[in-house]
Amino acid sequence: MDGNGGGVRSADLERAFPAERAKAFVDAVVAIALTLLILPLMESAAELGAGDTGVGEWFAEHTDQIVTFLISFVMIGFFWTGHHRVFAQVVAVSNGLLWLNLAWLLTVVWMPVATALTGHSGTDDRPFALVYIASMAATSALWLLIRVHLARHPDLHAITAERLRQGVAVALADLLLFGAAAGLAGFVPGVGYFALLVMWLSDPARRLVSPWLRRWTPAPGTASAG
């Protein structure tokens, strides 16, 4: 397909990276990020036996760290699941898609740092809570760009136009919810990272933004349903 159709030229595809190699790389980096999340708790747990602190006291003292660890683990798992489902239908990774993936992974590997900062500071420290939520919003923003990139380059995948449109709607809705969470964390005292509870509104938010995308269509050459 030529450049006028919004796809990738055959010469570009010849220079593209094998999709399976790119997927394996993403899986490995995400696995490392998930593992790094637990390290601050491992360090404090290792000191437990050396002091007079009991197990109950340890859990009480590190409640914020445990909560942020669990939130981050679930959110990274959520991001990875979406990536895995979409890229199962990606057949080639162009330079543009490769760099978008690397930028997306950058936000993922930053999450253990943001988690550690927020876990140590507690829910009442709004700047740290904002950094934490903004980190997830950055991941969501890059995911939206990846979705749009795939919609503009049908030669890279076998995803139907309707699925692409739905995916963009979901990614846009999630980004708006992260923005709402950041607003709550920034302006409502004591909310902190609990503002992320608004992510439970993902489905209503998707239905809200879907009508905005009715006139938006993926590039010509995108697979049709059935």
Side-chain angles (χ1 to χ4, degrees), residues 104-178:
W104 181 82
L105 285 173
L106 175 63
T107 67
V108 171
V109 298
W110 165 255
M111 278 305 303
V113 179
T115 302
L117 290 172
T118 308
H120 282 297
S121 64
T123 60
D124 294 330
D125 198 319
R126 279 185 276 185
F128 283 108
L130 283 172
V131 169
Y132 186 57
I133 295 172
S135 300
M136 295 186 185
T139 308
S140 185
L142 266 299
W143 183 235
L144 175 60
L145 292 177
I146 289 173
R147 293 272 201 174
V148 172
H149 184 86
L150 289 172
R152 297 181 61 186
H153 299 84
D155 286 349
L156 297 177
H157 59 84
I159 309 172
T160 65
E162 183 57 30
R163 291 295 297 273
L164 286 169
R165 189 180 295 106
Q166 291 175 1
V168 169
V170 170
L172 179 58
D174 288 344
L175 182 58
L176 292 174
L177 288 175
F178 278 120

Side-chain angles (χ1 to χ4, degrees), residues 14-31:
E14 291 175 1
R15 294 192 297 269
F17 287 80
E20 293 305 318
R21 185 173 181 181
K23 296 171 196 175
F25 178 74
V26 168
D27 291 347
V29 173
V30 171

Side-chain angles (χ1 to χ4, degrees), residues 29-43:
V29 173
V30 171
I32 292 171
L34 286 171
T35 304
L36 291 175
L37 288 173
I38 199 67
L39 290 184
L41 288 171
M42 290 290 292
E43 291 176 2

Side-chain angles (χ1 to χ4, degrees), residues 68-111:
T68 53
F69 161 73
L70 293 173
I71 293 174
S72 297
F73 193 94
V74 170
M75 292 306 300
I76 291 178
F78 169 79
F79 289 132
W80 174 81
T81 300
H83 189 283
H84 178 74
R85 288 176 178 171
V86 170
F87 273 70
Q89 299 184 71
V90 172
V91 297
V93 177
S94 64
N95 284 335
L97 186 57
L98 175 67
W99 283 105
L100 283 173
N101 267 279
L102 288 174
W104 181 82
L105 285 173
L106 175 63
T107 67
V108 171
V109 298
W110 165 255
M111 278 305 303

